[in-house]
Amino acid sequence: MKKKWIKRIILLVLIVLLVGFGIYKLVSKNNKGIKSQVNEVTENLNAYHMEANMEFHNGDDLREYLVKVSYKKDGSTPLFRVSLFDKGVNQEQIIIRNKNGVYVLTPALNQVYKFKGDWPLNGAKPYLYQSMLDVFKGKYELSKLKDGYVITSTPNYKNSPNWTKQEMKMTSQLKPIWVHIYDKDNNIAVKVTFIKVEFDPTFADNYFEVSDNMTQARSELTTPTTSTINDLPLYPTNAIISATLKEQSVIQVGDITQHILTYEGEEAFTVVQHILESYDEMVITEVSGELIEIAGNVGILNTQQLIYEYNGVSYHIYSDKLTTSQLVELALGMEVVAEK
């Protein structure tokens, strides 16, 4: 009787080992096959245009965008055009990379910021096809489906450390279908659903030019659906930061009324905010800081300072105590709850 049980146990162990080995071989084969496919797609990637609905979830706050991404390989300088249309406030920002630099256009203000740097290839972007292909350079899990693949990985978004898991679905031809990013509590943080994917499109000669894009965008301006300019000052009540409001004041600098909030504590900071002005003629301002994206919008990061413009208001957040991700959290909290 004892021998029979021993034989059964040995048989069971062998079956488990064989099944496990079979699964391992299948996964290895799938990974090897898709890596070869990724390499081929990467080598032949000359241009694409993609459109998607993108959602950012931050607690009870939801931001929804229509994002349009265009890419063209042009010698040593890749050309990009990214349009981020905020459905909540009915306004658009456009980011362009061409041979002259990186530009952030705000058509509602007729304002342009010019940056230096390697945007957007300097870090992962949930809507960027290059970022999706980069997933295959690291560790990932691959699930083969009838209509494509689901790829699970650990995301690498340096200013969003709470994003801990990413899933993306692609067709068998590696066309993106959706990207989902989850936070540490496994709640959805970002959802990108692609509605149009086109490889090797043809772009007009002026497609990546700043002035032409501004002219076109301003001709299509729509009225903002919401505004916070009458609610100043706004307070970062949605940010979890160890600081309390010590002082607030209002000063006049020329024609600009600035509201100053000073917070003290372990993570002290100061917020200066004012209403943005629009220009009759396009104004281009060169900035030395780093361009960072904040939940579908754009910020400028300098040493101990984050400049963030949203919904008609400019925020300057200063701190020598906070990390970049904490500065981003403050920026996102500013427009969520207005304190009276």
Side-chain angles (χ1 to χ4, degrees), residues 3-62:
K3 289 182 179 179
K4 284 184 178 180
W5 277 109
I6 292 173
K7 287 181 179 179
R8 288 177 182 176
I9 291 171
I10 292 172
L11 182 62
L12 182 61
V13 170
L14 287 173
I15 291 172
V16 170
L17 288 173
L18 286 171
V19 171
F21 182 69
I23 293 173
Y24 171 77
K25 283 191 69 178
L26 179 61
V27 170
S28 298
K29 183 179 179 181
N30 284 340
N31 284 348
K32 185 176 179 181
I34 199 169
K35 282 188 175 180
S36 175
Q37 191 177 359
V38 168
N39 290 336
E40 183 179 352
V41 168
T42 302
E43 289 174 6
N44 296 298
L45 189 63
N46 296 311
Y48 64 78
H49 176 79
M50 304 192 302
E51 299 180 11
N53 291 311
M54 182 166 62
E55 300 177 1
F56 287 89
H57 299 254
N58 183 29
D60 294 331
D61 184 36
L62 169 64

Side-chain angles (χ1 to χ4, degrees), residues 41 45-54 65-72 79-85 92 95 120-121 125-134 157 168-171 173-179 192-203 207-208:
V41 168
L45 189 63
N46 296 311
Y48 64 78
H49 176 79
M50 304 192 302
E51 299 180 11
N53 291 311
M54 182 166 62
Y65 295 85
L66 173 63
V67 56
K68 300 179 181 180
V69 187
S70 300
Y71 160 76
K72 180 180 178 182
L79 306 180
F80 287 92
R81 180 189 185 276
V82 175
S83 166
L84 296 161
F85 183 83
E92 178 186 34
I95 314 174
L121 301 177
K125 313 288 186 293
Y127 53 76
L128 197 68
Y129 191 52
Q130 281 86 348
S131 296
M132 300 175 211
L133 296 179
D134 282 345
Y157 296 91
M168 60 183 184
K169 184 176 181 180
M170 292 179 154
T171 69
Q173 290 77 39
L174 297 187
K175 283 190 174 184
I177 299 174
W178 50 254
V179 175
V192 184
T193 306
F194 291 90
I195 55 179
K196 183 177 183 180
V197 177
E198 182 182 2
F199 290 115
D200 292 321
T202 301
F203 301 112
Y207 189 82
F208 298 95

Side-chain angles (χ1 to χ4, degrees), residues 24-254:
Y24 171 77
K25 283 191 69 178
L26 179 61
V27 170
S28 298
K29 183 179 179 181
N30 284 340
N31 284 348
K32 185 176 179 181
I34 199 169
K35 282 188 175 180
S36 175
Q37 191 177 359
V38 168
N39 290 336
E40 183 179 352
V41 168
T42 302
E43 289 174 6
N44 296 298
L45 189 63
N46 296 311
Y48 64 78
H49 176 79
M50 304 192 302
E51 299 180 11
N53 291 311
M54 182 166 62
E55 300 177 1
F56 287 89
H57 299 254
N58 183 29
D60 294 331
D61 184 36
L62 169 64
R63 295 191 185 183
E64 299 179 277
Y65 295 85
L66 173 63
V67 56
K68 300 179 181 180
V69 187
S70 300
Y71 160 76
K72 180 180 178 182
K73 186 177 182 180
D74 188 18
S76 60
T77 304
L79 306 180
F80 287 92
R81 180 189 185 276
V82 175
S83 166
L84 296 161
F85 183 83
D86 190 325
K87 298 178 183 180
V89 298
N90 212 28
Q91 289 192 352
E92 178 186 34
Q93 276 192 315
I94 302 170
I95 314 174
I96 292 174
R97 178 179 178 179
N98 59 30
K99 292 183 177 181
N100 298 316
V102 178
Y103 301 84
V104 176
L105 288 66
T106 306
L109 304 176
N110 213 6
Q111 174 181 278
V112 180
Y113 288 120
K114 181 181 179 182
F115 294 81
K116 294 179 181 179
D118 196 31
W119 182 93
L121 301 177
N122 60 340
K125 313 288 186 293
Y127 53 76
L128 197 68
Y129 191 52
Q130 281 86 348
S131 296
M132 300 175 211
L133 296 179
D134 282 345
V135 167
F136 297 96
K137 296 178 182 178
K139 294 182 179 180
Y140 62 90
E141 294 179 6
L142 178 70
S143 298
K144 182 73 172 68
L145 307 175
K146 288 183 179 180
D147 58 346
Y149 309 96
V150 171
I151 303 96
T152 304
S153 62
T154 300
N156 183 24
Y157 296 91
K158 62 181 181 179
N159 296 323
S160 301
N162 287 332
W163 297 355
T164 58
K165 184 178 77 171
Q166 176 172 296
E167 294 178 336
M168 60 183 184
K169 184 176 181 180
M170 292 179 154
T171 69
S172 55
Q173 290 77 39
L174 297 187
K175 283 190 174 184
I177 299 174
W178 50 254
V179 175
H180 295 169
I181 303 174
Y182 301 85
D183 64 19
K184 60 184 180 181
D185 298 317
N186 207 36
N187 297 316
I188 190 74
V190 183
K191 183 185 292 187
V192 184
T193 306
F194 291 90
I195 55 179
K196 183 177 183 180
V197 177
E198 182 182 2
F199 290 115
D200 292 321
T202 301
F203 301 112
D205 292 340
N206 64 346
Y207 189 82
F208 298 95
E209 295 300 321
V210 172
S211 58
D212 294 284
N213 273 276
M214 181 64 86
T215 300
Q216 179 65 29
R218 284 186 62 80
S219 71
E220 300 171 351
L221 279 180
T222 53
T223 304
T225 54
T226 62
S227 175
T228 55
I229 60 177
N230 295 321
D231 297 322
L232 267 61
L234 298 183
Y235 300 78
T237 53
N238 198 43
I240 303 174
I241 303 293
S242 298
T244 55
L245 182 61
K246 175 186 177 182
E247 182 182 359
Q248 65 182 71
S249 59
V250 179
I251 63 172
Q252 196 73 25
V253 180

